[in-house]
Short mmCIF file of all heavy atoms in Angstrom, two decimals:
data_model
loop_
_atom_site.label_atom_id
_atom_site.label_comp_id
_atom_site.label_asym_id
_atom_site.label_seq_id
_atom_site.Cartn_x
_atom_site.Cartn_y
_atom_site.Cartn_z
N THR A 5 5.03 48.01 208.04
CA THR A 5 4.95 49.25 207.28
C THR A 5 4.08 49.06 206.13
O THR A 5 3.84 48.00 205.59
CB THR A 5 6.38 49.64 206.85
OG1 THR A 5 6.98 48.61 206.02
CG2 THR A 5 7.36 49.89 208.09
N TYR A 6 3.48 50.14 205.66
CA TYR A 6 2.54 50.19 204.55
C TYR A 6 2.92 51.15 203.42
O TYR A 6 3.48 52.21 203.72
CB TYR A 6 1.12 50.56 205.03
CG TYR A 6 0.56 49.65 205.99
CD1 TYR A 6 0.70 49.92 207.38
CD2 TYR A 6 -0.09 48.45 205.65
CE1 TYR A 6 0.25 49.03 208.38
CE2 TYR A 6 -0.63 47.57 206.63
CZ TYR A 6 -0.47 47.88 207.93
OH TYR A 6 -0.93 46.98 208.84
N THR A 7 2.73 50.76 202.18
CA THR A 7 3.19 51.61 201.11
C THR A 7 2.09 52.65 200.79
O THR A 7 2.37 53.72 200.35
CB THR A 7 3.33 50.73 199.87
OG1 THR A 7 2.08 50.05 199.54
CG2 THR A 7 4.44 49.77 200.02
N HIS A 8 0.78 52.36 201.08
CA HIS A 8 -0.29 53.24 200.87
C HIS A 8 -1.35 53.06 201.98
O HIS A 8 -1.37 52.05 202.70
CB HIS A 8 -0.94 53.02 199.53
CG HIS A 8 -0.08 53.26 198.32
ND1 HIS A 8 0.82 52.34 197.90
CD2 HIS A 8 0.10 54.38 197.52
CE1 HIS A 8 1.49 52.82 196.80
NE2 HIS A 8 1.05 54.07 196.53
N THR A 9 -2.20 54.07 202.06
CA THR A 9 -3.37 53.99 202.91
C THR A 9 -4.61 54.20 202.08
O THR A 9 -4.65 55.13 201.27
CB THR A 9 -3.27 55.03 204.08
OG1 THR A 9 -2.15 54.82 204.89
CG2 THR A 9 -4.58 54.95 204.92
N VAL A 10 -5.56 53.40 202.28
CA VAL A 10 -6.91 53.46 201.53
C VAL A 10 -8.10 53.55 202.56
O VAL A 10 -8.07 52.86 203.57
CB VAL A 10 -7.07 52.28 200.60
CG1 VAL A 10 -8.47 52.29 200.02
CG2 VAL A 10 -6.00 52.20 199.61
N VAL A 11 -9.05 54.39 202.28
CA VAL A 11 -10.24 54.47 203.11
C VAL A 11 -11.31 53.93 202.23
O VAL A 11 -11.32 54.17 201.03
CB VAL A 11 -10.67 55.86 203.60
CG1 VAL A 11 -9.64 56.36 204.61
CG2 VAL A 11 -10.70 56.82 202.49
N ALA A 12 -12.32 53.16 202.79
CA ALA A 12 -13.33 52.48 201.99
C ALA A 12 -14.61 52.47 202.83
O ALA A 12 -14.62 52.67 204.10
CB ALA A 12 -12.95 51.06 201.62
N VAL A 13 -15.78 52.31 202.13
CA VAL A 13 -17.06 52.20 202.78
C VAL A 13 -17.70 50.94 202.19
O VAL A 13 -17.75 50.75 200.99
CB VAL A 13 -17.95 53.42 202.58
CG1 VAL A 13 -19.34 53.16 203.11
CG2 VAL A 13 -17.31 54.65 203.10
N THR A 14 -18.16 50.02 203.09
CA THR A 14 -18.98 48.97 202.65
C THR A 14 -20.38 49.04 203.26
O THR A 14 -20.50 49.53 204.33
CB THR A 14 -18.37 47.60 203.21
OG1 THR A 14 -18.31 47.59 204.58
CG2 THR A 14 -17.01 47.37 202.64
N ALA A 15 -21.37 48.69 202.44
CA ALA A 15 -22.78 48.98 202.90
C ALA A 15 -23.80 47.91 202.44
O ALA A 15 -23.53 47.31 201.43
CB ALA A 15 -23.24 50.34 202.38
N CYS A 16 -24.73 47.67 203.33
CA CYS A 16 -25.80 46.75 203.04
C CYS A 16 -27.07 47.35 203.67
O CYS A 16 -27.25 47.16 204.87
CB CYS A 16 -25.49 45.37 203.58
SG CYS A 16 -26.78 44.10 203.07
N PRO A 17 -27.85 48.06 202.89
CA PRO A 17 -29.05 48.70 203.57
C PRO A 17 -30.16 47.76 204.18
O PRO A 17 -30.96 48.13 205.05
CB PRO A 17 -29.72 49.50 202.40
CG PRO A 17 -29.23 48.75 201.05
CD PRO A 17 -27.82 48.18 201.54
N ALA A 18 -30.12 46.46 203.69
CA ALA A 18 -31.13 45.54 204.20
C ALA A 18 -30.62 44.63 205.29
O ALA A 18 -31.52 43.97 205.96
CB ALA A 18 -31.59 44.66 202.99
N GLY A 19 -29.39 44.58 205.57
CA GLY A 19 -28.79 43.71 206.61
C GLY A 19 -27.42 44.10 206.99
O GLY A 19 -27.00 45.26 206.85
N ILE A 20 -26.65 43.10 207.38
CA ILE A 20 -25.21 43.41 207.73
C ILE A 20 -24.24 42.38 207.22
O ILE A 20 -23.01 42.65 207.26
CB ILE A 20 -25.02 43.59 209.29
CG1 ILE A 20 -25.31 42.27 209.94
CG2 ILE A 20 -25.88 44.62 209.79
CD1 ILE A 20 -24.95 42.23 211.44
N ALA A 21 -24.70 41.24 206.71
CA ALA A 21 -23.79 40.16 206.38
C ALA A 21 -22.79 40.57 205.30
O ALA A 21 -21.52 40.43 205.51
CB ALA A 21 -24.61 38.98 205.87
N HIS A 22 -23.27 41.20 204.26
CA HIS A 22 -22.36 41.47 203.09
C HIS A 22 -21.45 42.74 203.62
O HIS A 22 -20.38 42.86 203.14
CB HIS A 22 -23.09 41.91 201.90
CG HIS A 22 -23.66 40.76 201.14
ND1 HIS A 22 -24.97 40.39 201.15
CD2 HIS A 22 -23.08 39.87 200.36
CE1 HIS A 22 -25.18 39.32 200.46
NE2 HIS A 22 -24.04 38.91 199.91
N THR A 23 -21.96 43.58 204.40
CA THR A 23 -21.14 44.65 204.93
C THR A 23 -19.80 44.20 205.48
O THR A 23 -18.75 44.62 205.31
CB THR A 23 -21.85 45.47 206.03
OG1 THR A 23 -23.16 46.01 205.39
CG2 THR A 23 -21.14 46.70 206.49
N TYR A 24 -20.03 43.20 206.43
CA TYR A 24 -18.82 42.65 207.19
C TYR A 24 -18.00 41.74 206.31
O TYR A 24 -16.75 41.72 206.38
CB TYR A 24 -19.21 42.02 208.48
CG TYR A 24 -19.61 42.99 209.44
CD1 TYR A 24 -20.88 43.59 209.45
CD2 TYR A 24 -18.64 43.37 210.41
CE1 TYR A 24 -21.19 44.67 210.49
CE2 TYR A 24 -18.94 44.40 211.42
CZ TYR A 24 -20.16 44.91 211.44
OH TYR A 24 -20.56 45.93 212.36
N MET A 25 -18.62 41.04 205.39
CA MET A 25 -17.86 40.12 204.50
C MET A 25 -16.93 40.97 203.61
O MET A 25 -15.71 40.74 203.44
CB MET A 25 -18.79 39.34 203.64
CG MET A 25 -19.55 38.27 204.29
SD MET A 25 -20.75 37.50 203.30
CE MET A 25 -19.85 36.80 201.93
N ALA A 26 -17.42 42.08 203.04
CA ALA A 26 -16.67 42.93 202.23
C ALA A 26 -15.59 43.59 202.94
O ALA A 26 -14.38 43.77 202.51
CB ALA A 26 -17.59 43.94 201.52
N ALA A 27 -15.88 44.13 204.20
CA ALA A 27 -14.92 44.93 204.96
C ALA A 27 -13.79 44.02 205.32
O ALA A 27 -12.59 44.40 205.21
CB ALA A 27 -15.54 45.45 206.20
N GLU A 28 -14.01 42.82 205.71
CA GLU A 28 -12.91 41.91 206.12
C GLU A 28 -12.12 41.51 204.89
O GLU A 28 -10.90 41.37 204.96
CB GLU A 28 -13.55 40.67 206.84
CG GLU A 28 -14.09 40.92 208.23
CD GLU A 28 -13.01 41.43 209.21
OE1 GLU A 28 -11.93 40.82 209.17
OE2 GLU A 28 -13.34 42.40 209.97
N ALA A 29 -12.70 41.28 203.85
CA ALA A 29 -12.02 40.92 202.58
C ALA A 29 -11.11 42.02 202.10
O ALA A 29 -9.91 41.85 201.70
CB ALA A 29 -13.04 40.52 201.48
N LEU A 30 -11.58 43.30 202.19
CA LEU A 30 -10.73 44.43 201.87
C LEU A 30 -9.46 44.54 202.73
O LEU A 30 -8.39 44.79 202.29
CB LEU A 30 -11.55 45.76 201.84
CG LEU A 30 -12.64 45.90 200.77
CD1 LEU A 30 -13.45 47.11 201.05
CD2 LEU A 30 -11.93 46.13 199.43
N ALA A 31 -9.77 44.44 204.07
CA ALA A 31 -8.67 44.62 205.02
C ALA A 31 -7.64 43.44 204.83
O ALA A 31 -6.44 43.70 204.88
CB ALA A 31 -9.21 44.52 206.41
N LYS A 32 -8.15 42.24 204.60
CA LYS A 32 -7.23 41.13 204.37
C LYS A 32 -6.35 41.31 203.17
O LYS A 32 -5.14 41.17 203.09
CB LYS A 32 -8.04 39.78 204.20
CG LYS A 32 -7.14 38.59 204.09
CD LYS A 32 -7.97 37.36 203.95
CE LYS A 32 -7.19 36.10 203.76
NZ LYS A 32 -8.08 34.88 203.68
N ALA A 33 -7.05 41.67 202.00
CA ALA A 33 -6.35 41.91 200.80
C ALA A 33 -5.30 43.08 200.93
O ALA A 33 -4.12 43.00 200.40
CB ALA A 33 -7.30 42.29 199.62
N GLY A 34 -5.65 44.10 201.73
CA GLY A 34 -4.76 45.26 201.91
C GLY A 34 -3.45 44.70 202.70
O GLY A 34 -2.36 45.13 202.33
N GLU A 35 -3.74 43.92 203.72
CA GLU A 35 -2.59 43.38 204.42
C GLU A 35 -1.56 42.67 203.55
O GLU A 35 -0.41 42.79 203.66
CB GLU A 35 -3.02 42.57 205.63
CG GLU A 35 -3.66 43.25 206.79
CD GLU A 35 -2.63 44.14 207.50
OE1 GLU A 35 -1.50 43.77 207.64
OE2 GLU A 35 -3.01 45.25 207.86
N GLU A 36 -2.19 41.85 202.69
CA GLU A 36 -1.34 40.97 201.73
C GLU A 36 -0.53 41.92 200.80
O GLU A 36 0.57 41.53 200.36
CB GLU A 36 -2.22 40.07 201.02
CG GLU A 36 -2.83 39.01 201.91
CD GLU A 36 -3.82 38.11 201.09
OE1 GLU A 36 -4.05 38.47 200.04
OE2 GLU A 36 -4.27 37.11 201.74
N MET A 37 -1.09 43.14 200.46
CA MET A 37 -0.49 43.97 199.47
C MET A 37 0.39 45.08 200.09
O MET A 37 0.97 45.93 199.46
CB MET A 37 -1.52 44.58 198.56
CG MET A 37 -2.27 43.57 197.80
SD MET A 37 -3.80 44.31 197.00
CE MET A 37 -2.80 45.45 195.86
N GLY A 38 0.45 45.07 201.47
CA GLY A 38 1.19 46.12 202.16
C GLY A 38 0.36 47.50 202.15
O GLY A 38 0.99 48.56 202.24
N VAL A 39 -0.89 47.38 202.02
CA VAL A 39 -1.77 48.68 201.96
C VAL A 39 -2.62 48.68 203.26
O VAL A 39 -3.34 47.67 203.55
CB VAL A 39 -2.63 48.69 200.69
CG1 VAL A 39 -3.59 49.85 200.79
CG2 VAL A 39 -1.69 48.73 199.53
#
């Protein structure tokens, strides 16, 4: 169960590495916080 739901956008116009690094980090942090 989750206490909140958040939508986010990660972007890297020159490549993709930071896009996925940031996305996975946000999802992981959310799981730890119940979001």
Side-chain angles (χ1 to χ4, degrees):
T5 59
Y6 298 93
T7 58
H8 296 81
T9 297
V10 173
V11 293
V13 175
T14 59
C16 182
I20 65 174
H22 285 104
T23 302
Y24 283 83
M25 288 171 64
E28 292 296 317
L30 286 169
K32 180 180 178 181
E35 287 294 323
E36 294 173 353
M37 299 171 64
V39 175

